[in-house]
Amino acid sequence: MFNIAIIEDCPVLRKEFSEYFTESEKIDCVLAVDTVEKFVKYHRDFLKIDLVLLDIILYDKSGIDGIPLIRQRIPESKIIIFSVLDDEEALLQALSYGVTGFLNKNISPAELETKLVYALENDETPLSPVATRHLVNYFQPTAITSQWDLSPQEHSIMRMIADGMSYQAIADLLSLSINGVRYHVKNIYKQLGINSRQQLKSILNQRKSQEN
């Protein structure tokens, strides 16, 4: 049995899913609240939460902005965004904070249960079709980045580094070790003749302006 928490500000949806999981033989919803602040307030270590199902649009603080607070309390738990929002920028920002999945709310409780159980049992990253499409587009080398002698993976890492993603988030997303990410970043910096994330961001912005 896996324990999950739900952070969802719609009372109808929060009740629907939390009640569904009380009948599940594989998932138990041990905490259901409407804000990240309430999650932090009511969370207790004995709950042993394996996964947090997190909405983006909440009352007071964006779910994405609240991810660091959740990570402070349960650093080893999975966090899966569960939202109607399909914005690429929101997806990338959430990934940069270390979320482990992105699902759309247009699925039934039974479908959600299947996806969560599979993710927990297999240590997978569940992504909605829209989120997958955003990532495929994001990882495609652009005219701005294709001029350098980098592997396709390094093109992706270069863009993620410029967008502020941590080495750990990149490693998790690309199934690499931290040292593997460091190796690729070192090669990227060498190819571009730079030594910092800020310089990389500046170069990409400059090239983008030139092409526009």
Side-chain angles (χ1 to χ4, degrees):
M1 178 74 75
F2 296 107
N3 290 341
I4 73 166
I6 297 175
I7 305 178
E8 165 63 59
D9 65 351
C10 174
V12 175
L13 200 59
R14 188 171 66 249
K15 181 179 180 181
E16 176 186 3
F17 282 103
S18 61
E19 289 184 350
Y20 176 87
F21 287 125
T22 61
E23 303 296 326
S24 172
E25 296 181 355
K26 294 189 175 182
I27 291 179
D28 185 20
C29 178
V30 297
L31 183 61
V33 293
D34 56 358
T35 67
V36 173
E37 287 77 8
K38 286 185 180 178
F39 171 84
V40 173
K41 179 178 179 180
Y42 295 118
H43 171 261
R44 297 294 182 271
D45 290 339
F46 66 80
L47 294 176
K48 300 186 185 309
I49 295 173
D50 300 295
L51 180 149
V52 175
L53 199 61
L54 176 65
D55 191 12
I56 290 181
I57 305 173
L58 301 173
Y59 292 128
D60 46 4
K61 182 189 293 291
S62 160
I64 294 176
D65 292 338
I67 292 171
L69 296 176
I70 300 172
R71 279 272 171 248
Q72 288 176 9
R73 299 304 300 264
I74 47 174
E76 303 301 323
S77 301
K78 289 181 176 292
I79 300 176
I80 292 180
I81 296 294
F82 190 54
S83 175
V84 294
L85 195 65
D86 62 0
D87 179 71
E88 180 176 321
E89 183 177 349
L91 167 64
L92 296 175
Q93 186 180 6
L95 289 171
S96 74
Y97 283 159
V99 301
T100 47
F102 203 103
L103 296 175
N104 195 282
K105 286 183 180 178
N106 62 358
I107 59 177
S108 68
E111 289 177 292
L112 177 62
E113 179 184 25
T114 298
K115 290 180 181 296
L116 296 186
V117 170
Y118 184 82
L120 287 163
E121 289 182 342
N122 299 280
D123 197 26
E124 292 287 335
T125 299
L127 294 171
S128 68
V130 171
T132 301
R133 186 167 65 250
H134 284 322
L135 286 177
V136 169
N137 292 336
Y138 180 75
F139 287 147
Q140 290 294 326
T142 66
I144 299 171
T145 63
S146 60
Q147 58 193 289
W148 292 296
D149 185 22
L150 302 172
S151 69
Q153 189 170 66
E154 286 171 341
H155 281 289
S156 300
I157 292 173
M158 177 169 59
R159 294 188 63 185
M160 288 186 278
I161 288 291
D163 285 340
M165 291 182 66
S166 68
Y167 284 17
Q168 185 62 63
I170 295 171
D172 291 342
L173 189 59
L174 299 181
S175 299
L176 296 172
S177 67
I178 287 288
N179 286 336
V181 174
R182 290 194 179 105
Y183 170 83
H184 288 301
V185 171
K186 183 178 179 180
N187 187 51
I188 292 167
Y189 285 0
K190 181 180 179 181
Q191 290 285 336
L192 274 61
I194 59 176
N195 54 26
S196 73
R197 186 191 296 257
Q198 189 57 43
Q199 286 178 306
L200 173 59
K201 187 173 182 179
S202 178
I203 288 176
L204 293 181
N205 288 337
Q206 184 179 21
R207 294 298 176 96
K208 186 175 181 180
S209 298
Q210 291 173 352
E211 292 195 355
N212 292 333

